[in-house]
Amino acid sequence: MGRAKGAIVVDIEKCKGCNICVVNCPTDVIELSKEVNGKGYPYAYMENPENCTGCANCALVCPDGVIEVYRVIV
Amino acid sequence: MDIKDIIKPENKVYSKTSLMTDNALSYCPGCGHGTAHRIVMEVIEEMGIAHDTIGVAPVGCSVLAYDFMDIDMTQAAHGRAPAVATGIKRLWPDKFVFTYQGDGDLAAIGTAETIHACNRGENIVIIFVNNGIYGMTGGQMAPTTLGGMKSSTSPFGRDIGTMGNPIKMTELVANLPGVYFASRQAVHKPSNVRKAKKAIRQAFENQKEKKGLSIVEIVSNCNSGWKMAPVQSNIWMEENMFPYYPLGDIKVDDVILGK
Amino acid sequence: MSELKLMKGNEAVAEAAIRAGADAYFGYPITPQSEVLEYLMSEQPEKRTGMIVLQAESEVAAINMVYGAAGTGKRVMTSSSSPGISLKQEGISYIAGAELPCLIVNVVRGGPGLGTIQPSQADYFQSTKGGGHGDYRLIVLAPASVQEMSDFVKLGFELAFKYRNPVLMLSDGVIGQMMEKVELFDQQPRLDYFDPAWTTTGKTDDRGRNIITSLDLDPYLMEKHNQMLQAKYRKIEELEVRVEEIMIEDAEYIFVAYGSSARISQKAVELARAKGIKAGLLRPKTLFPFPKRIISELADRVKGFLSVEMSAGQMVEDVRLAVNGKVWVEHFGRYGGVVHSPNEVLDALENLIEKK
């Protein structure tokens, strides 16, 4: 059985920077940006993309539904 | 492996359901309402009942739920959602009807409508989001505000002696014979989201089987009303709300658990 | 074939509801209109036509059940009496704002407060000027007989759907409780068409979703919605005025009266005529729209108007507006649950003729 590799895509303009995905990521992939979006919020991004397993925990808890999750088995 | 090779349509494992509109949610950053909305819509999508479902939005933060839920919806007067849902369901018994209500709506001004819809065993689903405060009007004391908890109308903390006790509405209605299923869940962590969604699915399956009323309470945060950062509010919720409003099923298949 | 029956006014409302093909009735007991719910429960319309009847936990719940069901395009109604109608006002305002069709029956009793269970017409302002919060109007029908208690149920549903507007039948304890011969109309079918443009029956691929709401946070859009409502009300005023005119061709003095007061005033017309006073009766069957133009035209050729109401004088204000100072307009009426007699009405007219 292979290893899961994942990635997320964040709808930056709809992200409100609440940080809930960050604390719920089991592999410390996500951080909040230093810059802000058009609404003035920092937004979630993959700071450590190599750690992402595509578990989708971030998307499950994202109140604004702005995270898409992709996953492949390598 | 390059990220570009992972982010391909065939590798997508999660995105918001198409039953959530593309409108930006009007809720504060980190508010559990958005997650609660989404899992209700996911259940409706997974059951394939979007064309046969009518939702009832309350007055409160989720008054505009119909802007986000891409199904037929009716916006009810404050507290009256269970009566509105009754009117719809009685005339369309084969449609799926649910209300989505906050604690002020369901447990204060709408207490009579809630209790009697439950007591009649209306074959509907009630989604009850309890964050212990009136969020939309700016953080006033709710019927579910904890003892000692500060709000704009209990600035020195809720004094139980003069302001009454926080009401455990789901336990209260679980005692009524018309209620077939009652559960209390949360949506702040992945495992909680999964359990909450399972409970909501059960509630809609009960409606399909015409079992009577199912109520799913979601204990949630109100970081604006509680005056905390989103993550901090979730920790506060675990430490303070959950002991008073313990999570888990309360009544399953018409039987109150632990009795 | 129509059917002749001796019935109470309240029973006629209930029987007419079944025959009009109503889909549901939601109500709560209150004197003097409880016979509506009682008749429906004993008649078991679910077996006759499939009509749903439900006793709600309150008038508030009942009107909100109406709101929910009306939003799905069904033909639904409720009834109550004054204090209960006050409780329904929140829901009626929402129904008017969301533009839903429904029928509400008020069998008026004396107020204010808990008042009395005796007949009254003191809910005129509440019925015709909106009643709840916001700028809205109900179509208000005023039956003066058991026959009209039946006929106006059918008419009420027709108007409610024609304009997507709540219709209020403003009756009173006299008409509700008295027994008369009534010719019942034939059974109408229940609705099987639900307008896809607005009803919430579950979205379809064709129409997308529908939303029933009275909310718009944008004041400019809300103003636009209000303007659209006002345009509808003007159209109703133009097209839907209904009156009965009794001996007004040569009349010098006009009684303006609706409901049971009109019946009493009709007798007063006879008594006046016997004494050589040329009196006539104008009976509005619709209180909104109010017969403004008819009254204004009458004012060009009569000497005075007496508004006869079982209230301290409410409709008289609308008569005065219509007459606009051309001739005198006065009010007479017993109230608080007391019903005036034809002789009292005639005395009031004679006193005015002498004074003016």
Side-chain angles (χ1 to χ4, degrees):
Chain A
M1 189 165 153
R3 205 164 58 86
K5 282 286 294 171
I8 62 169
V9 175
V10 177
D11 186 339
I12 287 168
E13 284 308 314
K14 281 188 183 159
C15 176
K16 293 172 183 163
C18 71
N19 214 34
I20 286 176
C21 57
V22 176
V23 299
N24 277 293
C25 175
T27 52
D28 295 327
V29 173
I30 313 172
E31 289 292 335
L32 289 187
S33 65
K34 300 279 184 292
E35 305 90 63
V36 295
N37 63 17
K39 289 254 164 63
Y41 293 120
Y43 48 86
Y45 75 103
M46 289 196 288
E47 165 70 14
N48 305 304
E50 65 285 357
N51 289 353
C52 183
T53 62
C55 72
N57 277 1
C58 54
L60 274 184
V61 295
C62 173
D64 291 279
V66 300
I67 303 177
E68 284 182 350
V69 185
Y70 297 82
R71 189 182 208 191
V72 288
I73 306 294
V74 290
Chain B
M1 191 173 193
D2 197 76
I3 289 174
K4 281 200 291 280
D5 296 324
I6 303 172
I7 300 173
K8 284 180 173 171
E10 64 269 27
N11 296 334
K12 194 191 276 187
V13 290
Y14 192 94
S15 63
K16 79 171 174 59
T17 160
S18 62
L19 288 182
M20 286 295 285
T21 65
D22 289 329
N23 296 329
L25 290 164
S26 53
Y27 303 108
C28 303
C31 173
H33 266 305
T35 312
H37 280 26
R38 200 178 67 243
I39 58 177
V40 172
M41 288 301 108
E42 284 178 2
V43 165
I44 289 169
E45 184 182 43
E46 287 162 18
M47 288 177 72
I49 57 172
H51 291 50
D52 292 309
T53 301
I54 301 141
V56 182
V59 170
C61 285
S62 47
V63 65
L64 289 171
Y66 56 76
D67 272 355
F68 314 122
M69 298 178 175
D70 191 13
I71 53 169
D72 271 8
M73 288 197 78
T74 296
Q75 196 281 313
H78 200 14
R80 316 298 176 221
V84 172
T86 297
I88 299 169
K89 185 70 182 182
R90 288 290 179 123
L91 290 171
W92 299 90
D94 296 327
K95 303 276 180 187
F96 291 83
V97 180
F98 74 94
T99 70
Y100 186 103
Q101 302 174 259
D103 42 81
D105 194 85
L106 180 138
I109 193 167
T111 313
E113 284 79 4
T114 303
I115 286 178
H116 286 279
C118 288
N119 193 50
R120 287 190 303 266
E122 297 296 341
N123 191 31
I124 59 172
V125 171
I126 294 178
I127 307 293
F128 166 35
V129 177
N130 174 11
N131 57 15
I133 207 153
Y134 285 84
M136 188 175 73
T137 45
Q140 293 83 10
M141 184 178 72
T144 50
T145 298
L146 298 174
M149 189 172 160
K150 287 181 181 171
S151 73
S152 68
T153 53
S154 58
F156 307 104
R158 181 177 189 154
D159 173 28
I160 298 297
T162 57
M163 299 167 177
N165 289 280
I167 189 166
K168 297 185 182 187
M169 204 64 179
T170 306
E171 281 90 344
L172 193 152
V173 298
N175 282 291
L176 300 170
V179 173
Y180 184 78
F181 176 70
S183 184
R184 182 184 286 120
Q185 302 293 339
V187 291
H188 66 309
K189 284 186 170 172
S191 56
N192 293 100
V193 174
R194 290 189 185 95
K195 283 184 204 161
K197 187 175 163 186
K198 203 176 145 209
I200 292 167
R201 173 74 185 239
Q202 185 61 55
F204 277 91
E205 293 288 352
N206 292 340
Q207 184 171 169
K208 192 176 183 179
E209 302 297 323
K210 303 193 191 302
K211 296 287 192 186
L213 193 139
S214 297
I215 179 169
V216 179
E217 175 178 341
I218 294 169
V219 181
S220 192
N221 60 344
C222 178
N223 36 292
S224 293
W226 297 356
K227 306 195 190 310
M228 296 172 195
V231 170
Q232 185 198 0
S233 75
N234 282 340
I235 295 167
W236 191 89
M237 175 173 74
E238 289 181 333
E239 290 173 351
N240 296 276
M241 295 284 277
F242 292 175
Y244 193 82
Y245 301 112
L247 303 187
D249 290 339
I250 295 165
K251 190 177 191 181
V252 177
D253 290 345
D254 216 11
V255 177
I256 296 177
L257 302 184
K259 265 206 172 175
Chain C
M1 269 255 307
S2 58
E3 190 182 345
L4 271 183
K5 261 196 168 175
L6 183 68
M7 296 183 106
K8 271 191 173 190
N10 289 336
E11 294 169 346
V13 165
E15 178 60 31
I18 302 171
R19 289 180 183 238
D23 293 295
Y25 170 94
F26 302 100
Y28 185 82
I30 182 171
T31 307
Q33 68 78 51
S34 296
E35 292 87 353
V36 180
L37 179 56
E38 288 169 347
Y39 183 95
L40 285 170
M41 283 296 187
S42 58
E43 200 55 32
Q44 296 181 288
E46 194 157 9
K47 290 181 186 163
R48 271 175 66 179
T49 65
M51 176 186 176
I52 302 293
V53 184
L54 183 61
Q55 180 170 337
E57 63 269 29
S58 67
E59 288 91 345
V60 177
I63 193 68
N64 282 285
M65 290 171 187
V66 166
Y67 173 82
T72 69
K74 294 274 188 177
R75 205 183 264 146
V76 289
M77 68 177 291
T78 184
S79 68
S80 189
S81 180
S82 309
I85 295 290
S86 293
L87 276 170
K88 288 185 195 292
Q89 291 302 335
E90 174 199 50
I92 294 172
S93 174
Y94 275 67
I95 290 168
E99 292 196 276
L100 302 181
C102 72
L103 177 65
I104 303 144
V105 180
N106 184 1
V107 182
V108 181
R109 61 189 246 184
L114 199 50
T116 171
I117 59 171
Q118 302 302 325
S120 168
Q121 295 181 312
D123 294 356
Y124 177 90
F125 284 153
Q126 185 196 54
S127 310
T128 60
K129 310 296 180 191
H133 59 284
D135 269 328
Y136 72 90
R137 297 297 179 121
L138 310 177
I139 296 170
V140 184
L141 304 176
S145 61
V146 175
Q147 184 65 54
E148 283 184 343
M149 287 289 259
S150 167
D151 294 346
F152 285 4
V153 168
K154 195 167 150 217
L155 174 64
F157 278 129
E158 284 164 12
L159 292 173
F161 275 81
K162 182 175 176 186
Y163 294 100
R164 269 182 65 191
N165 204 70
V167 171
L168 181 85
M169 200 206 287
L170 187 66
S171 180
D172 62 61
V174 176
I175 311 284
Q177 290 295 324
M178 73 182 183
M179 294 188 86
E180 275 187 326
K181 181 182 71 178
V182 54
E183 189 179 340
L184 296 165
F185 55 84
D186 294 341
Q187 180 65 49
Q188 312 285 309
R190 287 177 56 222
L191 293 173
D192 56 6
Y193 171 78
F194 306 98
D195 189 346
W198 60 274
T199 59
T200 49
T201 56
K203 72 168 184 174
T204 65
D205 294 332
D206 295 340
R207 70 155 164 84
R209 70 201 169 115
N210 282 335
I211 296 162
I212 302 292
T213 183
S214 57
L215 174 72
D216 206 316
L217 293 174
D218 181 338
Y220 296 99
L221 291 177
M222 200 63 215
E223 185 185 46
K224 223 172 159 185
H225 176 63
N226 267 276
Q227 286 165 344
M228 200 258 293
L229 289 177
Q230 292 302 318
K232 178 169 79 173
Y233 303 148
R234 297 296 86 78
K235 192 175 167 196
I236 292 168
E237 286 189 304
E238 191 188 320
L239 298 176
E240 303 298 345
V241 171
R242 286 166 172 80
V243 296
E244 185 185 10
E245 296 172 344
I246 293 170
M247 305 191 82
I248 65 166
E249 299 76 21
D250 64 339
E252 293 178 341
Y253 304 99
I254 303 284
F255 295 121
V256 185
Y258 67 94
S260 51
S261 274
R263 297 171 71 111
I264 296 159
S265 300
Q266 188 173 348
K267 184 69 185 169
V269 168
E270 289 169 27
L271 296 173
R273 292 272 172 172
K275 289 177 116 178
I277 302 169
K278 286 186 175 172
L281 168 66
L282 182 74
R283 174 171 81 89
K285 296 185 195 175
T286 53
L287 297 172
F288 185 88
F290 191 71
K292 289 189 272 195
R293 193 178 47 79
I294 296 169
I295 290 173
S296 173
E297 285 168 8
L298 277 173
D300 293 329
R301 62 174 174 87
V302 303
K303 291 179 178 170
F305 289 85
L306 183 59
S307 180
V308 183
E309 318 162 52
M310 293 188 291
S311 75
Q314 299 189 11
M315 183 177 68
V316 64
E317 294 189 3
D318 286 336
V319 179
R320 281 204 182 105
L321 282 170
V323 169
N324 201 17
K326 287 188 241 182
V327 290
W328 59 260
V329 178
E330 297 295 341
H331 160 262
F332 173 75
R334 304 290 300 271
Y335 45 97
V338 179
V339 180
H340 30 247
S341 70
N343 280 315
E344 285 177 307
V345 174
L346 177 60
D347 285 351
L349 178 64
E350 286 182 312
N351 287 337
L352 282 164
I353 293 170
E354 203 172 306
K355 262 197 277 178
K356 297 283 177 181

